[in-house]
Amino acid sequence: MVKKSSDIRTLFEPKSFAVIGASHDTEKIGYKIMNNIVSGGYAGKIYPVNPQGGDILGNRVYQNIEDIEGDIDVASVVIPAKHVLDSVTRCAKKGVKFMQIITSGFSETGNAEEERKIVAVAREHGMRVLGPNIFGLYSAPASLNSTFSAGTVLPGHVAILTQSGALGIALIGKTAVENIGLSAIVSIGNKCDIDEADLLEYLIKNDDTRVILMYIEGVKNGERLISTLMRTTDKKPVVVIKSGRSKRGAMAAASHTGSLAGSDNIFDAIMKQCGVIRADSIDEAFNWCKFLAFTPKPKGNKSVIITNGGGVGVMATDACERYGIDLYDDQAELKRAFDPVVPSFGSTKNPVDLTGGAKAKDYDLALSVPTANKGIDSTIALYCETATFESADLVPMIKATYQKHLGAGKPVCYAIVGGTAVEDAIVKLRHDNVPVYGDVYQAVSCLGMLYRFERSRSEKTGTEEEADIDVAAIDSIIDGALAEKRTFLLANEGSAVMRAAGVSIPQNRIARSIEQAVQIAGEIGYPLVMKIVSKDILHKSDAGGVALDIQNGDEVMDAYEAIIKNCQAYKHDAHIDGIEICEMVSKGTEIIVGARRDASFGPIVMCGFGGIYVEVMKDVAFRGYPFNRAEAMKMLKELRSFPLLLGVRGEPRKDIEGLIDALIKVGTVIRKCPRITDIEINPVVVYEQKRGHKAVDSRILISG
Amino acid sequence: MVKKSSDIRTLFEPKSFAVIGASHDTEKIGYKIMNNIVSGGYAGKIYPVNPQGGDILGNRVYQNIEDIEGDIDVASVVIPAKHVLDSVTRCAKKGVKFMQIITSGFSETGNAEEERKIVAVAREHGMRVLGPNIFGLYSAPASLNSTFSAGTVLPGHVAILTQSGALGIALIGKTAVENIGLSAIVSIGNKCDIDEADLLEYLIKNDDTRVILMYIEGVKNGERLISTLMRTTDKKPVVVIKSGRSKRGAMAAASHTGSLAGSDNIFDAIMKQCGVIRADSIDEAFNWCKFLAFTPKPKGNKSVIITNGGGVGVMATDACERYGIDLYDDQAELKRAFDPVVPSFGSTKNPVDLTGGAKAKDYDLALSVPTANKGIDSTIALYCETATFESADLVPMIKATYQKHLGAGKPVCYAIVGGTAVEDAIVKLRHDNVPVYGDVYQAVSCLGMLYRFERSRSEKTGTEEEADIDVAAIDSIIDGALAEKRTFLLANEGSAVMRAAGVSIPQNRIARSIEQAVQIAGEIGYPLVMKIVSKDILHKSDAGGVALDIQNGDEVMDAYEAIIKNCQAYKHDAHIDGIEICEMVSKGTEIIVGARRDASFGPIVMCGFGGIYVEVMKDVAFRGYPFNRAEAMKMLKELRSFPLLLGVRGEPRKDIEGLIDALIKVGTVIRKCPRITDIEINPVVVYEQKRGHKAVDSRILISG
């Protein structure tokens, strides 16, 4: 019997905390954790456990976990790997709610079996396990620092979930340098039980947490992660660093945290679908998180660049395009608003150029414009060091104009370039959480991510849409194939699955007489292709067993007779089963449509530029579930080849709605038929609007 | 008559320097320049010029330029714009060799006419002009700081050419912060006369200059810039920041330095062709320049990553793929070399993981391996802050291992992540020019740029190759079209140009008898298309005047008779000129080939994925001149669609050599026929190897 486990909140806000393997030796991790808990100001009960007994930092040491009188919300384990299972078992029996297994030497070194045993014991007793192979957890609401990090953690508004322990500890240090306060930092390690989705459940509700940063090497149980991330990004931004994106990097990740990195394209697509912002590097992620934690939500899209140097103004304009920031464009209003501040040889266009002669008071005036102007929603302020501008004025000017923006509820970011005075100003202002950067692209990227987050939140497509498919029919086709020990479906089986899913395929039926042929042809419609059906004739064309482009009933009759005659002449004793009457697929836009069960994320749908070009042009888009018509449309729009569907060079618009139907149907097959692992239809020929499409060639893989 | 001007070296190393508009007022630019020259330690003669006379900083002030007794190598002008032309004229007459016009208010504010006058006067007297709209020039070899920047300039090995003045001054400050010494910094401004190419001529030869950084908003006279950059990158790396890359950014650049930003795709392609490294941001450019200035040339491609944290190891592996760095891969040798340093739960694979327990001595040992190992050419060293590693050991460890790498002539870069101790170490080490970064991607990008530079240097393709084309024939076609006041060529004229250039086009000739038709058909070869030629029959197909897919002589005769009969029946009094016999273009790989005269870079060649997909897939590559067969091959390889030419899905390789011929020929047309501005052939149908290609539809634009 599996007991129900406690709410994840207990892991972050425990009332009692045991350290199994607490040590008297100040060099040991078992001491460092104790020291961090005590000096961090944790107010709950602390139970060090060590057979030696005694006292550590004023806390009585218990010789056995069983000796502890009260309940234990969380127990941290820092003993050698071979003793961990025993300890876990004893904790489970004692009723411990959560365990943090610091110890390493499990699946990351190939010892996955021991992890499985740990999880089995825990599950049985309703106990949850964080780790193994972690550095612990910090939680601001509980003032609990159960990590073995050397530095102190600053409380604040960013939560970090990290799969890499060493990186996590280094990040604690880096957050202190950057004065980034943390609401929580959790080391996830091998995530044998508790994973990102579990932890996000807490962070969604935790008011201290404004932004979440995740370092991920591999995703397990990704379907749940998707739905949790969707709910998280409804409330707050999530920034992710995913490493192992290259082939070689994925190999390195496998030997680091035992993670399967999976396809980076799919990861990337799904993060976008979830509204998660992806950063490449730590610096980028930190900049974004800090900005997102302290910047008000913009009321609209229009941004203004204010600068004293044309060059950086041009760079910022380029950066705005890269990061998807719209520039305010009402020339008359710009002129009216900025004319009093801009000298005649400057520019009131956006970028507004105050020129190299600008002093602090000119910036004060110019930066007051966006805070008061209803049309301008956000500001990018640039400064190049000049002899005219008094260095001493820099910090006060930026602080004042930043406060004014905050007061007006408008986002602002600063990029300032220059010598020592400028560098000192950056350090000082960043320490006060003013968004100042030494590089134009960095500054603009932060504002861009704020807009990206707000945009993706507003563009969310909602819940899953399912097609009405004949699951029973598909299941019986799979049963048949599996009975023959096949892991793939034959062409006719594939066609049958498509029919059961309601995907339009070229029709084909077998006629056994000339009359039947004419009747079937009439039902399918012209043009047609006719082919001999005979197990004795392998090379149909050589035998004269194929007739193309049949246009009417007379031609059907002629072709029928000709094919029979040719084939009898070709092989006089051939057993002829009949003649296949096939719809001829006319030309159209070739799209590839697929779906598969991804090892990380479960069911995913894909589509791309079809025909022979798919591998060459690599123009493919992916989506995970929940998938729906709106999401399918967003997916199609991501394709470089999307204009082909809209119709290029005067061609009419294609049947995009029909194609979306097909995507929903193929996705539903993967969702409802768990034994199907892979569907690829290449091409789906898409015709003009309302003229439908034909799925020409579908390859389907299955597993028992 | 135009006098020959002096060697550009005089601008950088003048023996005498006049400041026209030198001022007694310490707030004025005319004083600041004087002050920088004097305090910078310039050893040449200094001539301040100001009608007030007197003495500035111990130098006698001349009331008129004509009063100066000796020769003047360089004169800087800092007087109001309206007086500049007069001053330039007087300088020219006095025999001044170079002028620096600091004053602004010329073409950047629309006053291009005054600039033209200045240049005309200067040219006449063999005087060269830098600017206008600049902040001056610093040159380490002459200890000359004739800028009005407030900060002192550190002498060193990086040269900066900047089109933006304000940015340039800010950069001087930033170089001091980053301890980047400069060999020169030149403000180019509106470049009415002296441009980047002129200045590069000096920097190529200047031994102090190891790396050149350019900030560019727009390129004029780009053909010369290409050839100068080619020669420069033979000797030393060039890093460029080009802004105005977005459409909106280009508009901003136009109103900043009056520059036409041009197509960013073309700029990008040509910089690559020249072996120039392009940076997006200032920080990136500075990091790369500093690394390139101080790092030895690698002896080979193989790099090793050494880390104490798996996570950053994975990130560095990803970064290596992004920046084109090969990882050393001899597992046995890695095991042999690193086994003594790596604990059992670490990894001797590349990334080599010393684990979180690594101390300074472990790094010392591990980082000695690549310096001694012949197979390992460069090192990426990573460190995540841990409690095990003594912070105090960090700087000495890195300094020592860096020196060891320098001694072995091997590149190394460091990325270290952590708290205050780590940040302090970065500041300290960077000040000593040790390549240490706080971010993995930054560190790896530096090494990547070093490899990119060396690779592009080794892959240079040499001089121009020209096709043998019939220029006279093309000229007479253009004459004809221009006589009709057309700026485009008709289809038959386009075909004639292609024939004159030797580009293979579908053949077509007119037959006036059945015998002639058979003969022409035999000469062209089958399959063929036949079409009625009659000015009285406009809708040829409707009249039964077209026959497709003619396979042999019999069919030619049948079709000839049928067409004549049909057309006579269709319109009994139609005047029939004959029947056109056209080669039928069979299917093949469709490529677009073009060439044009670019406003910035002159003749350029382009090619891409053809047919209707060119606009949709945007798969296009560009090259400037010198262009040759090897360059054409590199260009083709850049296309995503290149595998189509190699043959996908078992298709045979296409006639790439023939396509390259066509590219050379089309390029030669643009080179040799200056009145042709634009050629686009879409598609060129490319057949199997040695089966050639057909240029189906060529559109050619001309200008008088």
Side-chain angles (χ1 to χ4, degrees):
Chain A
M1 205 203 89
V2 175
K3 272 178 71 178
K4 197 180 172 312
S5 55
S6 303
D7 189 284
I8 191 76
R9 184 174 166 173
T10 306
L11 176 67
F12 286 88
E13 301 171 22
K15 295 206 164 47
S16 50
F17 197 101
V19 179
I20 300 165
S23 176
H24 297 273
D25 180 348
T26 57
E27 287 298 300
K28 290 211 163 166
I29 287 177
Y31 177 83
K32 286 175 179 164
I33 290 177
M34 278 300 297
N35 188 37
N36 278 339
I37 294 174
V38 172
S39 65
Y42 174 61
K45 283 177 188 144
I46 309 172
Y47 304 118
V49 180
N50 187 320
Q52 290 174 29
D55 177 287
I56 299 176
L57 294 162
N59 293 277
R60 175 196 154 187
V61 177
Y62 294 78
Q63 288 183 296
N64 296 292
I65 185 120
E66 292 82 0
D67 300 345
I68 297 168
E69 311 82 8
D71 286 343
I72 304 169
D73 280 348
V74 179
S76 174
V77 180
V78 268
I79 57 176
K82 60 184 172 188
H83 300 309
V84 168
L85 178 60
D86 174 58
S87 185
V88 165
T89 310
R90 290 163 67 183
C91 284
K93 286 183 179 156
K94 168 80 186 160
V96 168
K97 296 186 182 112
F98 288 90
M99 291 202 76
Q100 297 180 11
I101 304 181
I102 307 289
T103 311
S104 58
F106 294 90
S107 67
E108 87 281 10
T109 56
N111 188 6
E113 183 51 31
E114 193 78 356
E115 260 180 36
R116 271 193 292 273
K117 285 181 189 161
I118 288 170
V119 174
V121 170
R123 290 260 157 87
E124 200 185 328
H125 293 83
M127 185 172 77
R128 301 292 310 268
V129 179
L130 182 68
N133 188 21
I134 61 172
F135 67 76
L137 172 151
Y138 164 80
S139 165
S143 298
L144 171 65
N145 181 357
S146 68
T147 73
F148 55 83
S149 155
T152 51
V153 188
L154 221 66
H157 304 297
V158 177
I160 300 181
L161 310 180
T162 172
Q163 208 175 344
S164 168
L167 185 62
I169 289 179
L171 290 183
I172 292 178
K174 213 172 159 82
T175 54
V177 173
E178 293 276 329
N179 198 28
I180 299 180
L182 298 181
S183 56
I185 180 163
V186 187
S187 175
I188 303 178
N190 298 3
K191 43 185 170 182
C192 73
D193 174 31
I194 293 175
D195 63 10
E196 290 87 352
D198 294 305
L199 300 167
L200 287 170
E201 291 295 357
Y202 172 77
L203 297 174
I204 293 175
K205 293 182 212 144
N206 175 244
D207 288 334
D208 282 351
T209 302
R210 294 188 194 157
V211 183
I212 299 161
L213 170 61
M214 303 198 294
Y215 172 82
I216 294 184
E217 294 191 356
V219 172
K220 291 179 194 172
N221 199 2
E223 273 185 83
R224 183 158 156 253
L225 182 61
I226 294 175
S227 72
T228 315
L229 280 173
M230 292 266 188
R231 283 186 292 113
T232 311
T233 55
D234 282 344
K235 305 240 179 199
K236 44 193 92 175
V238 177
V239 176
V240 66
I241 303 174
K242 162 73 163 64
S243 67
R245 55 195 310 168
S246 63
K247 201 179 149 195
R248 180 116 194 186
M251 279 162 54
S255 74
H256 176 222
T257 46
S259 292
L260 289 173
S263 151
D264 197 65
N265 290 336
I266 291 173
F267 182 87
D268 209 64
I270 285 180
M271 288 304 114
K272 248 183 233 153
Q273 182 179 359
C274 293
V276 170
I277 295 164
R278 186 169 183 186
D280 280 336
S281 71
I282 298 165
D283 277 5
E284 203 172 55
F286 270 38
N287 280 339
W288 295 347
C289 286
K290 198 173 172 182
F291 188 80
L292 291 165
F294 287 102
T295 308
K297 183 181 157 161
K299 293 176 185 71
N301 296 329
K302 297 298 178 187
S303 200
V304 68
I305 300 170
I306 296 172
T307 183
N308 71 339
V312 285
V314 178
M315 288 176 85
T317 309
D318 287 343
C320 281
E321 183 170 286
R322 169 169 306 174
Y323 294 108
I325 296 173
D326 284 346
L327 289 177
Y328 183 73
D329 218 5
D330 183 335
Q331 296 302 325
E333 178 60 16
L334 279 165
K335 189 158 176 51
R336 193 198 62 73
F338 286 101
D339 219 26
V341 215
V342 171
S344 61
F345 52 102
S347 170
T348 62
K349 286 173 186 164
N350 191 0
V352 175
D353 190 349
L354 306 176
T355 80
K359 294 175 192 294
K361 67 173 173 41
D362 302 309
Y363 269 99
D364 280 333
L365 277 174
L367 287 168
S368 295
V369 172
T371 60
N373 194 301
K374 280 202 168 174
I376 302 174
D377 306 302
S378 56
T379 311
I380 297 161
L382 311 174
Y383 167 72
C384 279
E385 193 170 29
T386 65
T388 320
F389 192 109
E390 284 292 330
S391 291
D393 294 341
L394 192 56
V395 170
M397 180 278 281
I398 291 178
K399 275 196 176 172
T401 54
Y402 175 61
Q403 284 304 330
K404 206 172 255 181
H405 273 81
L406 276 192
K410 293 195 179 184
V412 61
C413 61
Y414 299 82
I416 62 180
V417 185
T420 316
V422 167
E423 285 301 311
D424 290 348
I426 292 176
V427 171
K428 215 171 284 173
L429 290 162
R430 285 181 72 86
H431 193 267
D432 293 342
N433 295 322
V434 180
V436 178
Y437 308 86
D439 188 277
V440 172
Y441 275 81
Q442 265 176 39
V444 175
S445 78
C446 289
L447 185 61
M449 291 309 129
L450 179 61
Y451 275 118
R452 184 176 296 178
F453 169 66
E454 294 298 342
R455 203 159 43 229
S456 76
R457 184 149 69 162
S458 72
E459 288 171 0
K460 282 197 175 171
T461 61
T463 54
E464 178 175 349
E465 284 174 37
E466 236 173 40
D468 186 18
I469 67 169
D470 185 348
V471 175
I474 298 174
D475 277 343
S476 88
I477 296 164
I478 299 169
D479 290 340
L482 288 174
E484 292 178 15
K485 304 212 181 299
R486 274 187 283 117
T487 57
F488 59 92
L489 298 190
L490 298 173
N492 63 327
E493 291 168 341
S495 298
V497 170
M498 289 299 117
R499 262 193 297 272
V503 175
S504 173
I505 56 169
Q507 294 184 67
N508 62 328
R509 281 156 64 195
I510 294 170
R512 294 179 210 280
S513 71
I514 203 161
E515 296 74 23
Q516 204 185 4
V518 173
Q519 192 200 332
I520 290 170
E523 284 163 18
I524 292 179
Y526 301 94
L528 291 167
V529 175
M530 293 168 66
K531 295 179 204 167
I532 188 75
V533 181
S534 163
K535 66 177 182 347
D536 299 323
I537 297 173
L538 290 178
H539 303 287
K540 296 180 171 113
S541 292
D542 292 354
V546 179
L548 299 170
D549 203 12
I550 306 292
Q551 295 286 355
N552 53 48
D554 286 348
E555 289 186 17
V556 172
M557 287 187 280
D558 290 350
Y560 196 98
E561 284 176 344
I563 287 172
I564 298 289
K565 202 177 77 182
N566 291 343
C567 291
Q568 281 168 344
Y570 182 77
K571 192 160 192 191
H572 69 93
D573 59 349
H575 175 83
I576 291 171
D577 291 317
I579 287 180
E580 192 179 1
I581 316 286
C582 313
E583 180 181 344
M584 211 168 93
V585 178
S586 49
K587 276 197 175 178
T589 302
E590 295 193 356
I591 299 289
I592 179 170
V593 166
R596 73 159 173 264
R597 206 167 305 284
D598 184 70
S600 295
F601 290 105
I604 57 164
V605 179
M606 60 97 68
C607 102
F609 187 45
I612 66 159
Y613 301 125
V614 60
E615 294 134 40
V616 172
M617 301 311 280
K618 296 186 175 65
D619 184 26
V620 182
F622 301 94
R623 282 297 185 281
Y625 273 81
F627 183 68
N628 52 43
R629 298 185 62 85
E631 202 62 47
M633 188 63 186
K634 281 169 77 175
M635 181 182 179
L636 290 176
K637 281 184 179 167
E638 276 174 23
L639 297 174
R640 285 194 305 275
S641 50
F642 182 64
L644 295 179
L645 291 170
L646 290 178
V648 287
R649 297 207 176 174
E651 282 177 4
R653 188 176 188 279
K654 303 300 181 292
D655 194 355
I656 294 171
E657 291 65 31
L659 177 59
I660 288 174
D661 279 341
L663 286 163
I664 298 287
K665 286 168 178 169
V666 170
T668 304
V669 173
I670 281 283
R671 287 285 279 172
K672 297 225 169 163
C673 309
R675 293 179 299 175
I676 295 188
T677 58
D678 234 293
I679 303 175
E680 185 185 305
I681 319 175
N682 183 11
V684 172
V685 183
V686 183
Y687 301 112
E688 289 176 25
Q689 204 160 9
K690 297 188 177 166
R691 298 270 172 90
H693 59 269
K694 293 286 169 193
V696 173
D697 186 15
S698 51
R699 283 180 290 179
I700 298 179
L701 303 181
I702 54 175
S703 73
Chain B
M1 205 203 89
V2 176
K3 272 178 70 178
K4 197 179 173 311
S5 55
S6 303
D7 189 285
I8 192 76
R9 184 173 167 175
T10 305
L11 176 67
F12 286 88
E13 301 172 23
K15 296 206 164 49
S16 50
F17 197 101
V19 179
I20 300 165
S23 176
H24 297 272
D25 180 347
T26 57
E27 287 298 300
K28 291 212 162 164
I29 287 176
Y31 177 84
K32 286 176 180 165
I33 290 177
M34 278 300 297
N35 188 37
N36 278 340
I37 295 174
V38 171
S39 66
Y42 174 60
K45 282 178 189 140
I46 308 173
Y47 302 119
V49 180
N50 187 320
Q52 291 173 29
D55 177 288
I56 298 176
L57 294 163
N59 293 277
R60 175 196 154 189
V61 178
Y62 293 79
Q63 289 182 293
N64 296 291
I65 185 123
E66 291 82 1
D67 300 344
I68 297 169
E69 310 83 9
D71 288 344
I72 304 169
D73 279 349
V74 179
S76 174
V77 180
V78 268
I79 57 176
K82 60 184 173 188
H83 301 308
V84 167
L85 178 59
D86 176 58
S87 186
V88 165
T89 311
R90 290 164 67 184
C91 284
K93 286 183 179 158
K94 169 79 185 160
V96 168
K97 295 184 182 116
F98 288 90
M99 291 202 77
Q100 297 180 11
I101 305 181
I102 307 290
T103 312
S104 58
F106 295 89
S107 66
E108 86 281 10
T109 55
N111 188 5
E113 183 51 30
E114 193 79 357
E115 260 180 38
R116 270 193 291 273
K117 286 181 189 160
I118 289 169
V119 175
V121 170
R123 290 261 158 87
E124 200 184 328
H125 293 83
M127 185 173 76
R128 302 291 312 267
V129 179
L130 183 68
N133 187 21
I134 62 172
F135 66 76
L137 172 151
Y138 164 80
S139 164
S143 297
L144 172 65
N145 181 359
S146 67
T147 73
F148 56 82
S149 155
T152 51
V153 188
L154 222 66
H157 304 297
V158 177
I160 300 181
L161 309 181
T162 172
Q163 208 175 342
S164 168
L167 185 62
I169 290 178
L171 290 184
I172 291 178
K174 212 172 159 83
T175 53
V177 173
E178 292 277 328
N179 198 27
I180 299 180
L182 298 181
S183 57
I185 180 163
V186 187
S187 174
I188 302 179
N190 299 3
K191 44 185 170 181
C192 74
D193 174 30
I194 293 175
D195 64 10
E196 289 87 352
D198 293 306
L199 300 167
L200 287 170
E201 291 295 356
Y202 172 78
L203 298 174
I204 293 174
K205 294 181 211 146
N206 174 246
D207 288 335
D208 282 351
T209 303
R210 293 187 194 158
V211 183
I212 298 161
L213 170 61
M214 302 198 295
Y215 172 82
I216 293 184
E217 294 192 355
V219 172
K220 292 179 192 172
N221 200 3
E223 273 185 83
R224 183 158 157 254
L225 181 61
I226 294 174
S227 72
T228 315
L229 280 173
M230 292 266 187
R231 283 184 293 115
T232 311
T233 55
D234 281 344
K235 305 238 178 199
K236 44 193 91 175
V238 178
V239 176
V240 65
I241 303 174
K242 162 74 163 66
S243 65
R245 54 196 312 171
S246 63
K247 200 179 150 197
R248 179 114 195 188
M251 279 162 53
S255 73
H256 175 222
T257 46
S259 291
L260 289 173
S263 151
D264 197 66
N265 290 337
I266 291 173
F267 182 87
D268 209 64
I270 286 180
M271 289 304 114
K272 247 183 232 153
Q273 183 179 358
C274 293
V276 170
I277 295 164
R278 186 169 184 187
D280 280 337
S281 71
I282 298 166
D283 277 5
E284 202 172 56
F286 269 38
N287 279 340
W288 294 348
C289 286
K290 198 172 172 183
F291 187 80
L292 291 165
F294 287 102
T295 308
K297 183 182 157 160
K299 292 177 184 73
N301 297 328
K302 297 297 178 189
S303 199
V304 68
I305 299 169
I306 296 172
T307 184
N308 72 338
V312 285
V314 178
M315 288 176 86
T317 309
D318 288 342
C320 282
E321 183 170 284
R322 168 168 308 174
Y323 294 107
I325 297 172
D326 284 345
L327 290 176
Y328 183 73
D329 220 5
D330 183 335
Q331 298 301 326
E333 177 60 18
L334 280 165
K335 191 160 175 49
R336 194 199 60 74
F338 286 101
D339 219 26
V341 215
V342 172
S344 61
F345 52 101
S347 170
T348 62
K349 285 174 186 165
N350 191 359
V352 175
D353 189 350
L354 307 176
T355 79
K359 293 176 192 293
K361 67 172 173 43
D362 302 309
Y363 269 98
D364 280 333
L365 277 174
L367 287 168
S368 296
V369 172
T371 61
N373 193 300
K374 280 201 169 174
I376 301 173
D377 305 303
S378 57
T379 311
I380 297 161
L382 311 174
Y383 167 73
C384 279
E385 193 170 30
T386 64
T388 320
F389 192 109
E390 285 292 331
S391 291
D393 294 341
L394 191 57
V395 170
M397 180 279 280
I398 291 178
K399 275 195 175 174
T401 54
Y402 176 61
Q403 285 303 332
K404 207 173 253 180
H405 273 82
L406 276 191
K410 293 193 179 184
V412 61
C413 61
Y414 299 82
I416 62 180
V417 185
T420 316
V422 166
E423 284 302 311
D424 290 348
I426 292 176
V427 171
K428 215 172 285 175
L429 290 162
R430 285 182 70 87
H431 194 267
D432 293 341
N433 296 323
V434 180
V436 178
Y437 308 86
D439 188 277
V440 172
Y441 275 80
Q442 265 176 37
V444 175
S445 78
C446 290
L447 185 61
M449 291 310 129
L450 178 61
Y451 275 118
R452 185 176 295 178
F453 169 66
E454 294 298 342
R455 201 159 45 228
S456 77
R457 184 148 71 163
S458 71
E459 287 172 0
K460 283 199 175 170
T461 60
T463 54
E464 177 175 350
E465 284 174 38
E466 235 172 41
D468 186 17
I469 67 168
D470 184 347
V471 175
I474 298 174
D475 277 343
S476 88
I477 296 163
I478 299 169
D479 290 340
L482 287 174
E484 294 178 12
K485 303 213 181 301
R486 273 187 283 118
T487 58
F488 59 91
L489 299 189
L490 299 172
N492 63 328
E493 291 167 340
S495 298
V497 169
M498 289 299 117
R499 263 193 297 271
V503 176
S504 174
I505 57 170
Q507 294 184 68
N508 62 329
R509 283 156 64 192
I510 294 170
R512 294 178 210 280
S513 70
I514 204 161
E515 296 75 22
Q516 204 185 2
V518 173
Q519 193 199 330
I520 290 170
E523 285 163 17
I524 291 178
Y526 301 94
L528 291 167
V529 175
M530 292 169 67
K531 295 179 203 167
I532 189 74
V533 182
S534 163
K535 65 177 183 345
D536 300 322
I537 296 173
L538 291 179
H539 304 287
K540 296 178 171 119
S541 292
D542 292 354
V546 179
L548 299 170
D549 203 13
I550 307 291
Q551 295 286 356
N552 52 50
D554 287 348
E555 290 186 15
V556 171
M557 287 187 280
D558 291 351
Y560 196 98
E561 284 176 344
I563 286 173
I564 297 290
K565 204 176 77 180
N566 291 344
C567 290
Q568 281 168 344
Y570 181 76
K571 193 162 190 188
H572 69 93
D573 58 348
H575 176 84
I576 291 171
D577 291 316
I579 287 179
E580 191 181 2
I581 316 287
C582 314
E583 180 181 345
M584 210 168 94
V585 178
S586 49
K587 277 198 176 177
T589 303
E590 296 193 356
I591 299 290
I592 179 169
V593 166
R596 73 160 173 263
R597 205 167 306 284
D598 184 70
S600 296
F601 290 105
I604 57 163
V605 179
M606 59 99 64
C607 99
F609 187 45
I612 67 159
Y613 301 124
V614 60
E615 293 134 41
V616 173
M617 301 311 279
K618 296 186 176 65
D619 184 26
V620 182
F622 301 94
R623 283 296 185 280
Y625 272 82
F627 183 68
N628 52 42
R629 299 184 61 86
E631 202 62 47
M633 188 64 187
K634 281 168 78 176
M635 181 182 179
L636 291 176
K637 282 184 179 167
E638 276 174 22
L639 297 174
R640 285 194 305 275
S641 49
F642 182 64
L644 295 178
L645 292 169
L646 289 178
V648 285
R649 297 206 176 175
E651 281 178 4
R653 188 177 188 278
K654 303 299 180 292
D655 194 353
I656 294 172
E657 291 65 32
L659 177 59
I660 289 174
D661 279 341
L663 285 163
I664 298 286
K665 286 169 180 170
V666 170
T668 305
V669 173
I670 281 283
R671 286 285 279 173
K672 297 226 169 164
C673 309
R675 293 179 299 175
I676 295 187
T677 58
D678 234 293
I679 304 174
E680 186 186 303
I681 319 174
N682 183 11
V684 173
V685 184
V686 183
Y687 301 112
E688 290 176 23
Q689 203 161 10
K690 296 188 178 166
R691 298 269 173 91
H693 60 269
K694 294 286 170 193
V696 173
D697 186 15
S698 51
R699 284 180 289 179
I700 298 180
L701 303 181
I702 55 174
S703 73

